[in-house]
């Protein structure tokens, strides 16, 4: 919990600063928009957090978003597959990708970075291939299913909750329970810290690692579906571009250590929200979108540095307090 | 008396709420061996790390050759001639032996690392410690005992005036340990001051000129010369007498529980090993470092599956292709290297203790947290684990208490066959006896106990029967009646003449 306080503080600071610089930040329209984007990225971030907890990394998820996000409208509008088949198919493909990653990493012992880097190139390439690089979309059809991403649920007078937020809440609760309350979550945390000791304790480390990659790619697939439902059309060239970096940054800001074995779902959610608020701030406050990456990079760096300093400060405080409780025995001997 | 080369006065050191040292003083002179002993968590390692500049004291002063000095870093300590061999191994596993010995002070020639010189000089120190491997061997290929010898060689290469050894023999077998003790005497006669920490009181008795006893972060007493005796040391350490150190009783052994036939391990594929362990029997497995004892246990437990062989537990064939399969058959393994294989260091005591029983105690996949807490409490109590609370990360426990956590984890599985690899490595005398009592109690309940140990005294004291391995081969089996130090050593060294004796220090 304490780990989250720092990033939560940063989120509040960024919100306050943005609100004071721009009147439209707190408008219902903008808040709903930021929440929707945060929810969509939150789904991806939770997925990649599982992989990061095992000590791995998933660089491919932006391309999985692209593959699924282009694949779904392509199957529906070009091939006229029924929704009840197309949707399960694209999600199964996404999970199959995770399964393949996991098996390559555990059975062939190829490094996660390499496996998923190749995935990053591969899946976007495939999506560009089967669409012939053409934009795909739903046009004016599929209004019903698109409500999943674009719909709103009355919440407060004058304010409605975007549907993806509700979906994210469900995903987050399930993920948090899985991580903290099931033996499998404990297995993941243990093997992320020390895979050897986990193996010696009879934990099926390979199967658990594969599971983490399936979760990551699976949620990337779900995210892809939501993203394309939200924006209505996808361009294979850049749909989902850099999303893996937003997701990884959100997870790390939220307290996942890239060394593995550490991370909380709530932290990841705060991290994902922070990223979207930052992007929102840049569009609202500046007229120059081209500095977006520079600002985001700087804020992540500040966040990580602040977190590290806070931890050191806490450690020193702890020592100092313990010192006071030591009777001055040492001084008299 | 002469001026001490190194003296520590009233050292205080706390970690969070844990007061590790509460005003400890200590002095060591040139040409003497000062043994520092004490129970697990007494503060020995902490004090040594302060002497060697690894960590600073909260208060207190260090005096070198009569002058007050601050030692702010390991580099500074080394330049003052103080070298420390850590209790836990600190080698870079992906580098070779020579690179490890000269890590951080590589000799250079025109800006390039002079690997010729590294190899030449490494060979000399390796020979001194009696380790017959090339400096170009990767550290990851060595056993723990061999890695320990590399650590010692590394400290020797510094040519220190004060050499601090924190449990250097804890994973050496009798033979290598003897060799090390000979080397220490040699260094002493050359005027090196040696601080020696060990839980093997027999060693301390034979070696030390003076003994400094620590208890709960304070000086508990000093012994020198003729006062140094086993009972005297124990009394100062634990504050009471320990009667009948080995609780061993001869067990009426039952049916064979563990049967091993034709087991061939990857390390020694040419030799097949056959043996049995009966219900209620405590069997010791002896041998030199590298004899293949750990490999046998790890093959049984499915860590590195055997190449060939049949294993039966209670008459049922066990295909141990994974630790989980071995656990389901009733096996438990307390591994040799607790830091690497036994513990998740950053996790708490509770989470470590429950790690091997989570699947048994689960409720449809959910953690049974009540059960988990109860189990932790039970084990902390039964093993007398010294920890501020159940959530304390085990990395902050002393070595002996870490070992108890590992044993507790495996006792929790209620095994039929308990395999222990160096169960008392780095464990203090009180805790040792508790571990022996536990082994004894389990055996009396019909558990088959098989333990590997490099501590000959322990092998002799605790075994109903001893299996001796030599270079992967079962060199012999000794029943309780035939047991003697000579008989074990004879078999362990391949009957003497075939062993190449290390070159004595010149
Ligand atoms: N970095 C640390 N953080 C918190 N507590 C620590 C740390 N290092 C040591 N301690 C605590 O300080 C006390 C002394 O530990 P130390 O390792 O010096 O004991 P020791 O005498 O060497 O024991 P052993 O024989 O088991 O090696 C222990 O209670 C230990 O838990
Ligand atoms: Mg110690």
């Amino acid at each position: 919990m304490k780990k989250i306080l720092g990033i939560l503080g940063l989120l509040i600071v960024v919100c306050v600063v943005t609100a004071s610089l721009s009147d439209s930040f707190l408008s219902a329209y903008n808040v709903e928009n930021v929440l929707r984007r945060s929810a969509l990225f939150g789904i991806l971030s939770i997925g990649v957090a599982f992989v990061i907890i095992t000590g791995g990394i998933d660089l491919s998820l932006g391309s999985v978003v692209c593959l699924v996000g282009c694949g779904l409208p392509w199957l529906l509008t070009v091939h006229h597959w029924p929704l009840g088949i197309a949707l399960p198919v694209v999600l199964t493909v996404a999970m199959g990708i995770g399964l393949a990653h996991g098996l390559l990493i555990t059975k062939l012992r190829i490094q996660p970075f390499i496996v998923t880097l190749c995935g990053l190139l591969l899946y976007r390439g495939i999506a560009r291939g089967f669409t012939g690089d053409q934009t795909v979309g739903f046009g004016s059809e599929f209004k019903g299913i698109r409500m999943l991403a674009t719909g709103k649920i009355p919440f407060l007078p004058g304010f409605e909750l975007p549907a993806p937020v509700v979906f994210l809440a469900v995903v987050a609760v399930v993920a948090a329970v899985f991580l903290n309350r099931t033996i499998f979550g404990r297995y993941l945390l243990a093997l992320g810290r020390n895979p050897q000791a986990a193996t010696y304790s009879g934990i099926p480390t390979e199967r658990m690692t594969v599971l983490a990659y399936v979760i990551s790619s699976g949620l990337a697939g779900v995210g892809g579906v939501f993203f394309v439902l939200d924006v209505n059309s996808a361009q294979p060239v850049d749909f989902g571009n850099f999303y893996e970096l937003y997701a990884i940054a959100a997870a790390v800001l939220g307290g996942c250590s890239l060394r593995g074995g550490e991370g909380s779902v709530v932290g990841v959610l705060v991290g994902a929200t922070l990223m979207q608020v930052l992007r929102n701030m840049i569009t609202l406050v500046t007229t120059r979108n081209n500095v977006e990456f520079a600002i985001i990079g700087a804020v992540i760096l500040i966040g990580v540095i602040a977190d590290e300093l806070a931890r050191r400060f806490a450690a020193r405080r702890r020592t100092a307090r313990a010192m006071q409780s030591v009777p001055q025995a040492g001084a008299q001997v | 008396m002469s001026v001490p080369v190194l003296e520590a006065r009233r050292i205080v050191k706390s970690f969070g709420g844990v007061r590790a040292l509460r005003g400890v003083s200590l002095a060591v002179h040139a040409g003497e061996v000062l043994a520092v002993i004490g129970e697990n968590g007494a503060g020995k390692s902490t004090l040594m790390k302060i002497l060697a500049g690894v960590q600073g004291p909260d208060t207190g002063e260090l005096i070198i050759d009569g002058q007050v000095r601050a030692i702010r870093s390991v580099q500074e300590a080394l330049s003052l001639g103080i070298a420390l061999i850590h209790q836990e191994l600190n080698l870079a596993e992906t580098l070779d032996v020579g690179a490890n010995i000269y890590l951080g002070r590589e000799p250079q020639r025109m800006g390039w690392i002079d690997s010729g010189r590294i190899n030449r000089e490494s060979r000399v120190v390796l020979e001194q410690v009696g380790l017959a491997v090339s400096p170009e061997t990767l550290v990851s290929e060595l056993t723990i005992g061999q890695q320990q010898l590399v650590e010692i060689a590394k400290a020797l290469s510094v040519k220190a005036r004060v050499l601090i050894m924190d449990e250097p023999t804890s994973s050496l077998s009798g033979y290598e340990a003897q060799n090390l003790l000979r080397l220490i005497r040699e260094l002493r006669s050359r005027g090196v001051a040696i601080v020696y920490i060990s839980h093997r009181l027999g060693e301390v008795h034979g070696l030390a000129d003076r003994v400094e006893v620590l208890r709960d972060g304070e000086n508990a007493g000093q012994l020198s010369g003729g006062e140094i005796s086993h009972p005297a040391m124990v009394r100062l350490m634990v504050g009471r007498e320990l009667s009948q150190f080995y609780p061993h009783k001869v067990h009426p052994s039952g049916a064979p529980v563990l049967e091993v036939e034709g087991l061939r391990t990857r390390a020694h594929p040419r030799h097949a090993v056959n043996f049995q362990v009966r219900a209620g029997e405590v069997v010791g497995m002896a041998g030199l470092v590298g004899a293949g004892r750990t490999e046998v246990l790890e093959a049984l437990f499915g860590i590195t599956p055997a190449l060939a062989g049949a294993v039966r537990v209670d008459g049922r064939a066990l295909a141990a292709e994974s630790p989980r399969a071995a656990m389901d058959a009733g096996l438990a393994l307390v591994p040799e290297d607790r830091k690497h294989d036994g513990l998740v260091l950053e996790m708490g005591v509770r989470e470590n203790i429950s790690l091997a029983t989570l699947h048994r105690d689960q409720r449809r996949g959910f953690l049974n947290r009540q059960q988990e807490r109860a189990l932790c409490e039970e084990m902390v109590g039964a093993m007398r684990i010294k920890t501020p609370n159940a959530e304390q990360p085990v990395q902050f426990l002393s070595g002996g208490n870490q070992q108890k956590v590992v044993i507790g984890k495996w006792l929790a599985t209620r095994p039929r066959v308990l395999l222990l690899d160096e169960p008392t490595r780095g464990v203090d005398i009180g805790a040792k006896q508790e571990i022996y009592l536990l082994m004894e109690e389990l055996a009396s309940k019909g558990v088959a106990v098989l333990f590997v140990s490099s501590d000959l005294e322990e092998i002799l004291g605790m075994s109903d029967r001893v299996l001796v391995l030599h270079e992967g081969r079962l060199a012999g089996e000794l029943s309780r009646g035939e047991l003697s130090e000579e008989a074990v050593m004879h078999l362990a060294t391949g009957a003497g003449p075939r062993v190449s004796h290390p070159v004595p220090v010149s």
Side-chain angles (χ1 to χ4, degrees), chain A residues 118-140:
Chain A
C118 295
L120 176 138
L121 302 170
L122 191 59
Y123 313 135
R124 180 171 303 277
I126 292 173
R128 291 179 66 171
F130 68 69
T131 56
D133 246 352
Q134 297 303 305
T135 302
V136 285
F138 302 107
S140 53

PDB file of all heavy atoms in Angstrom, chain A residues 118-140:
ATOM      1  N   CYS A 118      10.269 -10.190 -31.345  1.00  0.00           N
ATOM      2  CA  CYS A 118       9.923 -10.785 -32.642  1.00  0.00           C
ATOM      3  C   CYS A 118       8.410 -10.742 -32.842  1.00  0.00           C
ATOM      4  O   CYS A 118       7.930 -10.476 -33.946  1.00  0.00           O
ATOM      5  CB  CYS A 118      10.424 -12.227 -32.719  1.00  0.00           C
ATOM      6  SG  CYS A 118      12.219 -12.341 -32.672  1.00  0.00           S
ATOM      7  N   GLY A 119       7.668 -10.991 -31.758  1.00  0.00           N
ATOM      8  CA  GLY A 119       6.214 -10.931 -31.829  1.00  0.00           C
ATOM      9  C   GLY A 119       5.749  -9.547 -32.241  1.00  0.00           C
ATOM     10  O   GLY A 119       4.847  -9.393 -33.074  1.00  0.00           O
ATOM     11  N   LEU A 120       6.399  -8.537 -31.676  1.00  0.00           N
ATOM     12  CA  LEU A 120       6.040  -7.152 -31.985  1.00  0.00           C
ATOM     13  C   LEU A 120       6.106  -6.898 -33.493  1.00  0.00           C
ATOM     14  O   LEU A 120       5.238  -6.276 -34.086  1.00  0.00           O
ATOM     15  CB  LEU A 120       6.988  -6.213 -31.230  1.00  0.00           C
ATOM     16  CG  LEU A 120       6.881  -4.707 -31.459  1.00  0.00           C
ATOM     17  CD1 LEU A 120       7.005  -3.989 -30.137  1.00  0.00           C
ATOM     18  CD2 LEU A 120       7.949  -4.201 -32.398  1.00  0.00           C
ATOM     19  N   LEU A 121       7.160  -7.405 -34.121  1.00  0.00           N
ATOM     20  CA  LEU A 121       7.316  -7.211 -35.559  1.00  0.00           C
ATOM     21  C   LEU A 121       6.341  -8.097 -36.333  1.00  0.00           C
ATOM     22  O   LEU A 121       5.718  -7.670 -37.300  1.00  0.00           O
ATOM     23  CB  LEU A 121       8.758  -7.536 -35.962  1.00  0.00           C
ATOM     24  CG  LEU A 121       9.814  -6.699 -35.250  1.00  0.00           C
ATOM     25  CD1 LEU A 121      11.207  -7.240 -35.510  1.00  0.00           C
ATOM     26  CD2 LEU A 121       9.722  -5.247 -35.715  1.00  0.00           C
ATOM     27  N   LEU A 122       6.222  -9.335 -35.851  1.00  0.00           N
ATOM     28  CA  LEU A 122       5.467 -10.337 -36.587  1.00  0.00           C
ATOM     29  C   LEU A 122       3.977 -10.015 -36.697  1.00  0.00           C
ATOM     30  O   LEU A 122       3.404 -10.013 -37.781  1.00  0.00           O
ATOM     31  CB  LEU A 122       5.677 -11.681 -35.887  1.00  0.00           C
ATOM     32  CG  LEU A 122       5.203 -12.941 -36.595  1.00  0.00           C
ATOM     33  CD1 LEU A 122       5.903 -13.073 -37.944  1.00  0.00           C
ATOM     34  CD2 LEU A 122       5.470 -14.163 -35.726  1.00  0.00           C
ATOM     35  N   TYR A 123       3.326  -9.728 -35.557  1.00  0.00           N
ATOM     36  CA  TYR A 123       1.863  -9.633 -35.578  1.00  0.00           C
ATOM     37  C   TYR A 123       1.384  -8.399 -36.320  1.00  0.00           C
ATOM     38  O   TYR A 123       0.373  -8.430 -37.001  1.00  0.00           O
ATOM     39  CB  TYR A 123       1.288  -9.685 -34.154  1.00  0.00           C
ATOM     40  CG  TYR A 123       1.891 -10.800 -33.344  1.00  0.00           C
ATOM     41  CD1 TYR A 123       2.312 -10.606 -32.031  1.00  0.00           C
ATOM     42  CD2 TYR A 123       2.073 -12.066 -33.908  1.00  0.00           C
ATOM     43  CE1 TYR A 123       2.893 -11.627 -31.308  1.00  0.00           C
ATOM     44  CE2 TYR A 123       2.662 -13.089 -33.191  1.00  0.00           C
ATOM     45  CZ  TYR A 123       3.080 -12.860 -31.895  1.00  0.00           C
ATOM     46  OH  TYR A 123       3.668 -13.859 -31.195  1.00  0.00           O
ATOM     47  N   ARG A 124       2.128  -7.322 -36.216  1.00  0.00           N
ATOM     48  CA  ARG A 124       1.734  -6.146 -36.987  1.00  0.00           C
ATOM     49  C   ARG A 124       1.905  -6.428 -38.474  1.00  0.00           C
ATOM     50  O   ARG A 124       1.044  -6.072 -39.286  1.00  0.00           O
ATOM     51  CB  ARG A 124       2.547  -4.915 -36.574  1.00  0.00           C
ATOM     52  CG  ARG A 124       2.158  -3.657 -37.353  1.00  0.00           C
ATOM     53  CD  ARG A 124       2.818  -2.407 -36.794  1.00  0.00           C
ATOM     54  NE  ARG A 124       2.503  -2.229 -35.385  1.00  0.00           N
ATOM     55  CZ  ARG A 124       1.383  -1.660 -34.961  1.00  0.00           C
ATOM     56  NH1 ARG A 124       0.500  -1.217 -35.823  1.00  0.00           N
ATOM     57  NH2 ARG A 124       1.157  -1.552 -33.665  1.00  0.00           N
ATOM     58  N   GLY A 125       2.979  -7.108 -38.779  1.00  0.00           N
ATOM     59  CA  GLY A 125       3.210  -7.467 -40.176  1.00  0.00           C
ATOM     60  C   GLY A 125       2.074  -8.319 -40.722  1.00  0.00           C
ATOM     61  O   GLY A 125       1.582  -8.091 -41.836  1.00  0.00           O
ATOM     62  N   ILE A 126       1.630  -9.281 -39.911  1.00  0.00           N
ATOM     63  CA  ILE A 126       0.530 -10.141 -40.344  1.00  0.00           C
ATOM     64  C   ILE A 126      -0.738  -9.317 -40.566  1.00  0.00           C
ATOM     65  O   ILE A 126      -1.433  -9.464 -41.586  1.00  0.00           O
ATOM     66  CB  ILE A 126       0.282 -11.255 -39.307  1.00  0.00           C
ATOM     67  CG1 ILE A 126       1.470 -12.224 -39.304  1.00  0.00           C
ATOM     68  CG2 ILE A 126      -1.012 -12.008 -39.607  1.00  0.00           C
ATOM     69  CD1 ILE A 126       1.409 -13.259 -38.206  1.00  0.00           C
ATOM     70  N   ALA A 127      -1.010  -8.409 -39.624  1.00  0.00           N
ATOM     71  CA  ALA A 127      -2.224  -7.599 -39.740  1.00  0.00           C
ATOM     72  C   ALA A 127      -2.172  -6.734 -41.001  1.00  0.00           C
ATOM     73  O   ALA A 127      -3.154  -6.613 -41.737  1.00  0.00           O
ATOM     74  CB  ALA A 127      -2.384  -6.728 -38.497  1.00  0.00           C
ATOM     75  N   ARG A 128      -1.007  -6.160 -41.272  1.00  0.00           N
ATOM     76  CA  ARG A 128      -0.878  -5.348 -42.479  1.00  0.00           C
ATOM     77  C   ARG A 128      -1.033  -6.214 -43.714  1.00  0.00           C
ATOM     78  O   ARG A 128      -1.568  -5.778 -44.737  1.00  0.00           O
ATOM     79  CB  ARG A 128       0.479  -4.645 -42.498  1.00  0.00           C
ATOM     80  CG  ARG A 128       0.585  -3.581 -41.428  1.00  0.00           C
ATOM     81  CD  ARG A 128       1.932  -2.895 -41.434  1.00  0.00           C
ATOM     82  NE  ARG A 128       2.137  -2.123 -42.661  1.00  0.00           N
ATOM     83  CZ  ARG A 128       3.167  -1.290 -42.833  1.00  0.00           C
ATOM     84  NH1 ARG A 128       4.058  -1.134 -41.869  1.00  0.00           N
ATOM     85  NH2 ARG A 128       3.291  -0.635 -43.948  1.00  0.00           N
ATOM     86  N   GLY A 129      -0.560  -7.450 -43.600  1.00  0.00           N
ATOM     87  CA  GLY A 129      -0.651  -8.373 -44.729  1.00  0.00           C
ATOM     88  C   GLY A 129      -2.085  -8.696 -45.082  1.00  0.00           C
ATOM     89  O   GLY A 129      -2.532  -8.472 -46.214  1.00  0.00           O
ATOM     90  N   PHE A 130      -2.860  -9.192 -44.105  1.00  0.00           N
ATOM     91  CA  PHE A 130      -4.194  -9.666 -44.497  1.00  0.00           C
ATOM     92  C   PHE A 130      -5.169  -8.528 -44.784  1.00  0.00           C
ATOM     93  O   PHE A 130      -6.163  -8.716 -45.478  1.00  0.00           O
ATOM     94  CB  PHE A 130      -4.757 -10.695 -43.512  1.00  0.00           C
ATOM     95  CG  PHE A 130      -5.114 -10.203 -42.131  1.00  0.00           C
ATOM     96  CD1 PHE A 130      -6.186  -9.335 -41.930  1.00  0.00           C
ATOM     97  CD2 PHE A 130      -4.406 -10.650 -41.023  1.00  0.00           C
ATOM     98  CE1 PHE A 130      -6.526  -8.909 -40.662  1.00  0.00           C
ATOM     99  CE2 PHE A 130      -4.742 -10.218 -39.748  1.00  0.00           C
ATOM    100  CZ  PHE A 130      -5.794  -9.348 -39.571  1.00  0.00           C
ATOM    101  N   THR A 131      -4.878  -7.337 -44.299  1.00  0.00           N
ATOM    102  CA  THR A 131      -5.761  -6.220 -44.631  1.00  0.00           C
ATOM    103  C   THR A 131      -5.274  -5.484 -45.870  1.00  0.00           C
ATOM    104  O   THR A 131      -5.922  -4.542 -46.325  1.00  0.00           O
ATOM    105  CB  THR A 131      -5.807  -5.194 -43.491  1.00  0.00           C
ATOM    106  OG1 THR A 131      -4.470  -4.766 -43.229  1.00  0.00           O
ATOM    107  CG2 THR A 131      -6.413  -5.766 -42.230  1.00  0.00           C
ATOM    108  N   GLY A 132      -4.126  -5.908 -46.402  1.00  0.00           N
ATOM    109  CA  GLY A 132      -3.556  -5.166 -47.512  1.00  0.00           C
ATOM    110  C   GLY A 132      -3.285  -3.722 -47.144  1.00  0.00           C
ATOM    111  O   GLY A 132      -3.357  -2.825 -47.975  1.00  0.00           O
ATOM    112  N   ASP A 133      -2.967  -3.481 -45.853  1.00  0.00           N
ATOM    113  CA  ASP A 133      -2.662  -2.142 -45.342  1.00  0.00           C
ATOM    114  C   ASP A 133      -3.845  -1.176 -45.433  1.00  0.00           C
ATOM    115  O   ASP A 133      -3.672   0.028 -45.304  1.00  0.00           O
ATOM    116  CB  ASP A 133      -1.439  -1.532 -46.059  1.00  0.00           C
ATOM    117  CG  ASP A 133      -0.281  -1.368 -45.087  1.00  0.00           C
ATOM    118  OD1 ASP A 133      -0.501  -1.585 -43.871  1.00  0.00           O
ATOM    119  OD2 ASP A 133       0.827  -1.028 -45.522  1.00  0.00           O
ATOM    120  N   GLN A 134      -5.026  -1.711 -45.691  1.00  0.00           N
ATOM    121  CA  GLN A 134      -6.205  -0.845 -45.788  1.00  0.00           C
ATOM    122  C   GLN A 134      -6.848  -0.657 -44.420  1.00  0.00           C
ATOM    123  O   GLN A 134      -6.856  -1.569 -43.602  1.00  0.00           O
ATOM    124  CB  GLN A 134      -7.247  -1.481 -46.716  1.00  0.00           C
ATOM    125  CG  GLN A 134      -6.771  -1.630 -48.145  1.00  0.00           C
ATOM    126  CD  GLN A 134      -6.354  -0.300 -48.750  1.00  0.00           C
ATOM    127  OE1 GLN A 134      -7.124   0.653 -48.767  1.00  0.00           O
ATOM    128  NE2 GLN A 134      -5.106  -0.221 -49.226  1.00  0.00           N
ATOM    129  N   THR A 135      -7.373   0.534 -44.192  1.00  0.00           N
ATOM    130  CA  THR A 135      -8.117   0.788 -42.977  1.00  0.00           C
ATOM    131  C   THR A 135      -9.343  -0.119 -42.922  1.00  0.00           C
ATOM    132  O   THR A 135     -10.031  -0.295 -43.919  1.00  0.00           O
ATOM    133  CB  THR A 135      -8.577   2.250 -42.938  1.00  0.00           C
ATOM    134  OG1 THR A 135      -7.427   3.078 -43.030  1.00  0.00           O
ATOM    135  CG2 THR A 135      -9.326   2.550 -41.648  1.00  0.00           C
ATOM    136  N   VAL A 136      -9.556  -0.725 -41.769  1.00  0.00           N
ATOM    137  CA  VAL A 136     -10.767  -1.533 -41.607  1.00  0.00           C
ATOM    138  C   VAL A 136     -11.613  -0.918 -40.499  1.00  0.00           C
ATOM    139  O   VAL A 136     -11.083  -0.305 -39.579  1.00  0.00           O
ATOM    140  CB  VAL A 136     -10.455  -3.007 -41.258  1.00  0.00           C
ATOM    141  CG1 VAL A 136      -9.950  -3.756 -42.471  1.00  0.00           C
ATOM    142  CG2 VAL A 136      -9.455  -3.091 -40.108  1.00  0.00           C
ATOM    143  N   GLY A 137     -12.914  -1.100 -40.580  1.00  0.00           N
ATOM    144  CA  GLY A 137     -13.764  -0.510 -39.553  1.00  0.00           C
ATOM    145  C   GLY A 137     -15.174  -1.043 -39.639  1.00  0.00           C
ATOM    146  O   GLY A 137     -15.497  -1.879 -40.493  1.00  0.00           O
ATOM    147  N   PHE A 138     -15.993  -0.543 -38.744  1.00  0.00           N
ATOM    148  CA  PHE A 138     -17.366  -1.059 -38.670  1.00  0.00           C
ATOM    149  C   PHE A 138     -18.347  -0.189 -39.455  1.00  0.00           C
ATOM    150  O   PHE A 138     -19.491  -0.560 -39.611  1.00  0.00           O
ATOM    151  CB  PHE A 138     -17.829  -1.121 -37.220  1.00  0.00           C
ATOM    152  CG  PHE A 138     -16.946  -1.974 -36.355  1.00  0.00           C
ATOM    153  CD1 PHE A 138     -16.092  -1.397 -35.423  1.00  0.00           C
ATOM    154  CD2 PHE A 138     -16.977  -3.357 -36.466  1.00  0.00           C
ATOM    155  CE1 PHE A 138     -15.285  -2.178 -34.623  1.00  0.00           C
ATOM    156  CE2 PHE A 138     -16.161  -4.139 -35.664  1.00  0.00           C
ATOM    157  CZ  PHE A 138     -15.318  -3.549 -34.745  1.00  0.00           C
ATOM    158  N   GLY A 139     -17.891   0.990 -39.899  1.00  0.00           N
ATOM    159  CA  GLY A 139     -18.827   1.895 -40.541  1.00  0.00           C
ATOM    160  C   GLY A 139     -19.943   2.257 -39.577  1.00  0.00           C
ATOM    161  O   GLY A 139     -19.694   2.590 -38.430  1.00  0.00           O
ATOM    162  N   SER A 140     -21.157   2.150 -40.064  1.00  0.00           N
ATOM    163  CA  SER A 140     -22.267   2.525 -39.180  1.00  0.00           C
ATOM    164  C   SER A 140     -22.965   1.281 -38.620  1.00  0.00           C
ATOM    165  O   SER A 140     -24.038   1.372 -38.052  1.00  0.00           O
ATOM    166  CB  SER A 140     -23.257   3.393 -39.949  1.00  0.00           C
ATOM    167  OG  SER A 140     -23.619   2.718 -41.142  1.00  0.00           O
TER     168      SER A 140
END
